[in-house]
Amino acid sequence: MKKVYTCFCTDIIHEGHLHFINEARKYGELTVGVLADAAMVKYNRFPSISIDERVELVRGIEGVSDVIVQNDIMYDEIFEKLHPDIVIHGDNWSDPSMQAIKNNIISLTQKYGGELIDIPYTHDPKLSKLDKQMREKLAMPEFRRGRLRKVLKMMPLIKAIEVHSGLTGLIAEKTMVVEDEKIDQFDAMWISSLCDSTEKGKPDIELVDMTSRFRTIEDVMEVTTKPIIFDGDTGGLTEHFVYTVRSLERMGVSAVIIEDKTGLKKNSLFGTEVEQTQDSIENFSAKIAAGKQAQLSDDFMIIARIESLILERGMDDALARAKAFTSAGADGIMIHSRKKDPDEILEFCDRFREIDPNTPIIVVPSSFNTITEEELSKHGVNICIYANQLLRAAFPAMKNAAESILRNHRAAEIDGELMPIKQIITLIDEL
Ligand code: SPV
Ligand code: MG
């Protein structure tokens, strides 16, 4: 009997899978690998049931001799441990991530022996609908809300990118790169007050009201499934913040970050160049506690953002606040800096980790942008937010296109720099 191996990355078993198993078992004794949680997330297939449940689901299928957990989307560990004679895969090799998997399997068969056999995918509208419904489930508020806490448990570092519209949401949702045989993508989205305001041509001073900010959330939510972290600015008055918490929870937002400033908030990247007032530890702690008291689900997170380094009040003040805000119930601490050098951020992280090994640390490396995710993770950072890059990328490109049309009195000259209409419309899913 030949040793046959295939990997499953699904939460439901339908006729297509059963057909696939039936074909695969014809080649020999079939072991099915079930892709582990973290690998599924990196591959943009968020599991809606646990790994144990997925293993049981596959174990129950007739014709499956053994079930194991496959820890990585690439097959190195499988070939080292199992030495399969045949690896069976669907014939859906078209996108770059699939190509990378195919190359990986082929190079392993050259090293260890064995062969790769494709089985054609079943193209049945009924089955495609089932797959689509599974994806839609991930977009439901109840499910999406808890997704941030889940990924925090699965992965050492979560990468979030700024989104301010349905289109930027789609970029955060779908962008995937393959490098050094590793597939990577963003884990979460950040709805920045700076970008939400700038997109509307308004200053970042809590001028764009909550109704409008919620509309942005809805636009993003309608077309994506990834968890949303909302920039709640100061949270406003405590009496208002409690309502904001309830609304965000109801919509399916995973977390709100509020900063310890008061009065007319200005963007932190202005630092001490403009007048900004830091809230007292007592007031801000009371705001956090009131928010935690108001929230109805266990999933939702209220994260306290500390502005002591921005306002040059010193490291000890930042640490004292971090301690107080976690005691008041904050589910995470965001520490911000506008220095180019990451030293003060790293010092904060190291010292905070000495007193608190668990509370998630969130950073926004806009100014200290040379530090890598790996270095941040070594210092205990759990969430890295790329807070404004999509907007900053779009603005000069749009301005350039507008200037080119004005200068040339036609659009032909700029066309080569623009995405073809056909490509941009394929980004948009139709129901
Ligand atoms: C935002 O993106 O709106 C932020 C981060 O709050 S920063 O602009 O760096 O203050
Ligand atoms: Mg902001």
Side-chain angles (χ1 to χ4, degrees):
M1 273 293 237
K2 293 214 165 171
K3 248 193 263 175
V4 181
Y5 181 79
T6 195
C7 179
F8 266 33
C9 175
T10 180
D11 286 355
I12 48 161
I13 301 293
H14 55 52
E15 287 162 41
H17 299 115
L18 298 179
H19 169 75
F20 190 84
I21 296 279
N22 262 329
E23 291 301 306
R25 65 191 283 208
K26 289 180 186 161
Y27 293 91
E29 193 168 56
L30 177 64
T31 298
V32 179
V34 174
L35 197 61
D37 287 345
M40 266 184 91
V41 172
K42 276 288 150 225
Y43 185 45
N44 209 357
R45 307 272 202 285
F46 197 84
S48 67
I49 55 173
S50 73
I51 180 74
D52 294 340
E53 287 167 313
R54 298 202 298 283
V55 166
E56 280 320 303
L57 206 63
V58 175
R59 209 189 289 287
I61 306 174
E62 204 191 321
V64 174
S65 300
D66 200 9
V67 183
I68 60 168
V69 173
Q70 179 170 330
N71 290 304
D72 192 60
I73 189 77
M74 298 302 168
Y75 284 62
D76 300 65
E77 191 193 345
I78 298 302
F79 272 82
E80 275 159 31
K81 283 195 186 147
L82 219 64
H83 289 279
D85 299 304
I86 296 171
V87 172
I88 304 277
H89 202 286
D91 62 346
N92 53 335
W93 297 119
S94 55
D95 74 70
S97 57
M98 284 298 183
Q99 269 301 327
I101 295 170
K102 185 174 187 175
N103 293 343
N104 169 260
I105 299 174
I106 289 172
S107 74
L108 289 164
T109 57
Q110 282 157 357
K111 185 171 170 194
Y112 292 94
E115 64 174 315
L116 169 65
I117 294 178
D118 297 352
I119 293 184
Y121 256 98
T122 326
H123 293 288
D124 178 342
K126 199 174 72 207
L127 302 183
S128 312
K129 192 172 170 202
L130 269 178
D131 286 334
K132 224 169 178 177
Q133 275 170 345
M134 272 311 295
R135 237 188 120 61
E136 288 298 317
K137 180 177 162 189
L138 301 181
M140 291 296 157
E142 276 307 309
F143 191 83
R144 190 202 289 249
R145 193 193 310 119
R147 203 168 139 169
L148 188 65
R149 280 201 194 269
K150 284 194 186 128
V151 272
L152 272 167
K153 285 202 189 100
M154 287 177 201
M155 293 195 291
L157 187 83
I158 290 172
K159 295 190 282 241
I161 185 141
E162 171 266 319
V163 302
H164 52 266
S165 59
L167 189 64
T168 47
L170 283 176
I171 288 173
E173 180 81 6
K174 295 190 178 192
T175 307
M176 203 185 254
V177 294
V178 184
E179 215 170 15
D180 303 330
E181 292 207 335
K182 288 220 174 329
I183 292 174
D184 210 357
Q185 47 93 50
F186 289 101
D187 310 299
M189 298 179 284
W190 164 245
I191 301 203
S192 145
S193 66
L194 171 67
C195 298
D196 205 358
S197 309
T198 308
E199 181 63 21
K200 292 170 172 59
K202 299 260 172 73
D204 181 19
I205 52 170
E206 293 184 286
L207 172 65
V208 177
D209 68 13
M210 274 301 161
T211 312
S212 168
R213 305 273 330 268
F214 290 171
R215 185 62 235 167
T216 305
I217 297 177
E218 294 286 357
D219 285 345
V220 172
M221 284 201 156
E222 273 188 42
V223 294
T224 62
T225 64
K226 288 184 180 176
I228 290 177
I229 305 169
F230 181 70
D231 177 355
D233 286 320
T234 65
L237 295 172
T238 299
E239 292 81 350
H240 296 173
F241 179 57
V242 288
Y243 284 92
T244 306
V245 166
R246 287 271 177 99
S247 305
L248 292 172
E249 266 193 296
R250 204 179 313 113
M251 281 190 273
V253 170
S254 299
V256 62
I257 300 187
I258 51 169
E259 59 197 90
D260 58 353
K261 288 200 297 231
T262 188
L264 180 62
K265 182 223 89 150
K266 307 238 176 74
N267 185 273
S268 298
L269 301 177
F270 283 123
T272 48
E273 290 157 28
V274 292
E275 207 182 304
Q276 312 219 45
T277 318
Q278 199 170 20
D279 203 353
S280 70
I281 292 184
E282 295 69 33
N283 276 344
F284 199 67
S285 298
K287 196 184 282 187
I288 293 164
K292 289 308 290 176
Q293 179 74 26
Q295 97 180 44
L296 292 174
S297 71
D298 294 332
D299 303 331
F300 189 72
M301 298 173 77
I302 298 179
I303 296 169
R305 162 171 168 174
I306 295 167
E307 293 285 290
S308 305
L309 304 181
I310 293 280
L311 301 173
E312 296 172 10
R313 300 275 156 79
M315 188 62 65
D316 289 339
D317 183 68
L319 286 159
R321 283 169 178 267
K323 222 168 144 185
F325 300 158
T326 44
S327 300
D331 300 294
I333 293 294
M334 176 185 149
I335 183 70
H336 207 15
S337 161
R338 65 180 193 127
K339 296 232 164 90
K340 276 204 156 311
D341 187 325
D343 279 2
E344 64 176 10
I345 285 285
L346 298 183
E347 184 188 339
F348 175 90
C349 294
D350 293 343
R351 287 180 61 185
F352 183 60
R353 278 287 168 255
E354 277 168 23
I355 52 169
D356 185 331
N358 298 322
T359 302
I361 301 178
I362 294 89
V363 299
V364 177
S366 302
S367 301
F368 46 101
N369 59 11
T370 53
I371 191 149
T372 63
E373 291 158 3
E374 197 183 349
E375 283 172 279
L376 289 171
S377 178
K378 275 191 203 139
H379 289 269
V381 170
N382 304 90
I383 304 180
C384 170
I385 298 178
Y386 295 97
N388 50 39
Q389 286 76 8
L390 293 188
L391 184 87
R392 286 165 58 206
F395 186 79
M398 291 193 284
K399 195 160 175 280
N400 185 33
E403 284 173 358
S404 171
I405 293 169
L406 279 180
R407 245 181 246 118
N408 297 294
H409 307 286
R410 62 178 196 177
E413 284 72 14
I414 193 69
D415 208 67
E417 289 177 47
L418 308 181
M419 185 182 248
I421 291 285
K422 210 168 173 190
Q423 208 172 328
I424 210 157
I425 55 183
T426 53
L427 251 180
I428 315 289
D429 289 325
E430 281 183 31
L431 281 183

Short mmCIF file of all heavy atoms in Angstrom, two decimals, residues 76-96:
data_model
loop_
_atom_site.label_atom_id
_atom_site.label_comp_id
_atom_site.label_asym_id
_atom_site.label_seq_id
_atom_site.Cartn_x
_atom_site.Cartn_y
_atom_site.Cartn_z
N ASP A 76 7.04 20.97 4.45
CA ASP A 76 8.35 20.46 4.91
C ASP A 76 8.21 19.45 6.06
O ASP A 76 8.78 18.35 6.01
CB ASP A 76 9.25 21.61 5.36
CG ASP A 76 9.49 22.59 4.22
OD1 ASP A 76 8.50 23.24 3.78
OD2 ASP A 76 10.62 22.71 3.75
N GLU A 77 7.46 19.85 7.09
CA GLU A 77 7.32 18.99 8.28
C GLU A 77 6.67 17.64 7.89
O GLU A 77 7.06 16.59 8.41
CB GLU A 77 6.43 19.73 9.28
CG GLU A 77 6.39 19.12 10.66
CD GLU A 77 5.26 19.72 11.51
OE1 GLU A 77 4.70 20.78 11.13
OE2 GLU A 77 4.92 19.09 12.52
N ILE A 78 5.73 17.70 6.96
CA ILE A 78 5.01 16.49 6.54
C ILE A 78 5.97 15.52 5.86
O ILE A 78 5.99 14.32 6.14
CB ILE A 78 3.85 16.88 5.57
CG1 ILE A 78 2.84 17.78 6.29
CG2 ILE A 78 3.18 15.66 4.96
CD1 ILE A 78 2.21 17.18 7.53
N PHE A 79 6.80 16.05 4.96
CA PHE A 79 7.74 15.17 4.25
C PHE A 79 8.79 14.61 5.21
O PHE A 79 9.15 13.44 5.13
CB PHE A 79 8.40 15.92 3.08
CG PHE A 79 7.59 15.82 1.82
CD1 PHE A 79 6.50 16.67 1.60
CD2 PHE A 79 7.88 14.86 0.85
CE1 PHE A 79 5.73 16.56 0.45
CE2 PHE A 79 7.11 14.76 -0.31
CZ PHE A 79 6.03 15.60 -0.50
N GLU A 80 9.27 15.47 6.14
CA GLU A 80 10.28 15.00 7.10
C GLU A 80 9.74 13.86 7.95
O GLU A 80 10.41 12.87 8.19
CB GLU A 80 10.71 16.15 8.03
CG GLU A 80 11.81 17.00 7.43
CD GLU A 80 11.86 18.39 8.09
OE1 GLU A 80 11.52 18.49 9.29
OE2 GLU A 80 12.21 19.34 7.37
N LYS A 81 8.50 14.02 8.42
CA LYS A 81 7.96 13.04 9.37
C LYS A 81 7.31 11.84 8.69
O LYS A 81 7.41 10.72 9.14
CB LYS A 81 6.89 13.72 10.25
CG LYS A 81 7.48 14.58 11.32
CD LYS A 81 6.41 14.92 12.35
CE LYS A 81 6.93 15.92 13.36
NZ LYS A 81 5.86 16.80 13.83
N LEU A 82 6.60 12.12 7.58
CA LEU A 82 5.70 11.10 7.04
C LEU A 82 6.24 10.38 5.79
O LEU A 82 5.84 9.25 5.51
CB LEU A 82 4.37 11.79 6.67
CG LEU A 82 3.09 11.05 6.95
CD1 LEU A 82 2.91 10.83 8.45
CD2 LEU A 82 1.90 11.86 6.41
N HIS A 83 7.13 11.06 5.09
CA HIS A 83 7.64 10.53 3.81
C HIS A 83 6.52 9.98 2.93
O HIS A 83 6.53 8.79 2.56
CB HIS A 83 8.68 9.42 4.06
CG HIS A 83 9.96 9.94 4.60
ND1 HIS A 83 10.92 10.50 3.80
CD2 HIS A 83 10.42 10.00 5.86
CE1 HIS A 83 11.93 10.89 4.56
NE2 HIS A 83 11.65 10.61 5.81
N PRO A 84 5.52 10.79 2.56
CA PRO A 84 4.43 10.25 1.73
C PRO A 84 4.92 9.84 0.33
O PRO A 84 5.84 10.48 -0.20
CB PRO A 84 3.45 11.43 1.62
CG PRO A 84 4.26 12.65 1.88
CD PRO A 84 5.37 12.25 2.80
N ASP A 85 4.30 8.79 -0.21
CA ASP A 85 4.63 8.40 -1.59
C ASP A 85 3.89 9.30 -2.56
O ASP A 85 4.39 9.59 -3.65
CB ASP A 85 4.19 6.94 -1.84
CG ASP A 85 4.91 5.99 -0.89
OD1 ASP A 85 6.15 6.01 -0.90
OD2 ASP A 85 4.23 5.26 -0.13
N ILE A 86 2.69 9.69 -2.16
CA ILE A 86 1.87 10.52 -3.05
C ILE A 86 1.23 11.65 -2.23
O ILE A 86 0.68 11.40 -1.15
CB ILE A 86 0.76 9.67 -3.71
CG1 ILE A 86 1.40 8.60 -4.62
CG2 ILE A 86 -0.21 10.54 -4.50
CD1 ILE A 86 0.42 7.58 -5.15
N VAL A 87 1.33 12.86 -2.76
CA VAL A 87 0.57 13.98 -2.17
C VAL A 87 -0.52 14.34 -3.16
O VAL A 87 -0.26 14.55 -4.35
CB VAL A 87 1.47 15.21 -1.90
CG1 VAL A 87 0.62 16.40 -1.47
CG2 VAL A 87 2.49 14.90 -0.81
N ILE A 88 -1.74 14.38 -2.65
CA ILE A 88 -2.88 14.70 -3.52
C ILE A 88 -3.30 16.15 -3.24
O ILE A 88 -3.40 16.55 -2.07
CB ILE A 88 -4.08 13.78 -3.20
CG1 ILE A 88 -3.70 12.31 -3.32
CG2 ILE A 88 -5.29 14.15 -4.05
CD1 ILE A 88 -3.75 11.75 -4.71
N HIS A 89 -3.55 16.89 -4.29
CA HIS A 89 -3.98 18.29 -4.13
C HIS A 89 -5.02 18.60 -5.19
O HIS A 89 -5.00 18.00 -6.27
CB HIS A 89 -2.77 19.21 -4.29
CG HIS A 89 -2.96 20.55 -3.64
ND1 HIS A 89 -3.77 21.52 -4.19
CD2 HIS A 89 -2.47 21.07 -2.49
CE1 HIS A 89 -3.76 22.58 -3.39
NE2 HIS A 89 -2.98 22.34 -2.35
N GLY A 90 -5.90 19.56 -4.89
CA GLY A 90 -6.84 20.03 -5.92
C GLY A 90 -6.06 20.73 -7.03
O GLY A 90 -4.90 21.11 -6.83
N ASP A 91 -6.70 20.95 -8.18
CA ASP A 91 -5.95 21.53 -9.30
C ASP A 91 -6.12 23.04 -9.39
O ASP A 91 -6.01 23.64 -10.46
CB ASP A 91 -6.39 20.86 -10.62
CG ASP A 91 -7.87 21.13 -10.90
OD1 ASP A 91 -8.59 21.57 -9.98
OD2 ASP A 91 -8.31 20.88 -12.03
N ASN A 92 -6.37 23.67 -8.23
CA ASN A 92 -6.58 25.12 -8.22
C ASN A 92 -5.26 25.85 -7.98
O ASN A 92 -5.05 26.47 -6.93
CB ASN A 92 -7.59 25.50 -7.12
CG ASN A 92 -7.20 24.94 -5.77
OD1 ASN A 92 -6.49 23.94 -5.69
ND2 ASN A 92 -7.64 25.58 -4.70
N TRP A 93 -4.34 25.78 -8.92
CA TRP A 93 -3.00 26.33 -8.70
C TRP A 93 -2.84 27.76 -9.20
O TRP A 93 -1.73 28.25 -9.28
CB TRP A 93 -1.98 25.46 -9.45
CG TRP A 93 -1.87 24.05 -9.00
CD1 TRP A 93 -2.11 22.94 -9.75
CD2 TRP A 93 -1.46 23.58 -7.71
NE1 TRP A 93 -1.88 21.81 -9.00
CE2 TRP A 93 -1.49 22.17 -7.74
CE3 TRP A 93 -1.10 24.21 -6.51
CZ2 TRP A 93 -1.16 21.38 -6.64
CZ3 TRP A 93 -0.77 23.42 -5.43
CH2 TRP A 93 -0.79 22.03 -5.49
N SER A 94 -3.95 28.43 -9.55
CA SER A 94 -3.79 29.67 -10.30
C SER A 94 -3.19 30.83 -9.50
O SER A 94 -2.34 31.55 -10.01
CB SER A 94 -5.12 30.08 -10.91
OG SER A 94 -6.07 30.14 -9.88
N ASP A 95 -3.59 31.03 -8.23
CA ASP A 95 -3.09 32.25 -7.59
C ASP A 95 -1.68 32.03 -7.03
O ASP A 95 -1.24 30.91 -6.84
CB ASP A 95 -4.09 32.81 -6.57
CG ASP A 95 -4.15 32.03 -5.30
OD1 ASP A 95 -3.19 32.07 -4.53
OD2 ASP A 95 -5.18 31.35 -5.10
N PRO A 96 -0.94 33.14 -6.75
CA PRO A 96 0.47 33.03 -6.36
C PRO A 96 0.70 32.19 -5.10
O PRO A 96 1.70 31.49 -4.99
CB PRO A 96 0.89 34.48 -6.12
CG PRO A 96 -0.10 35.31 -6.84
CD PRO A 96 -1.37 34.55 -6.90
#
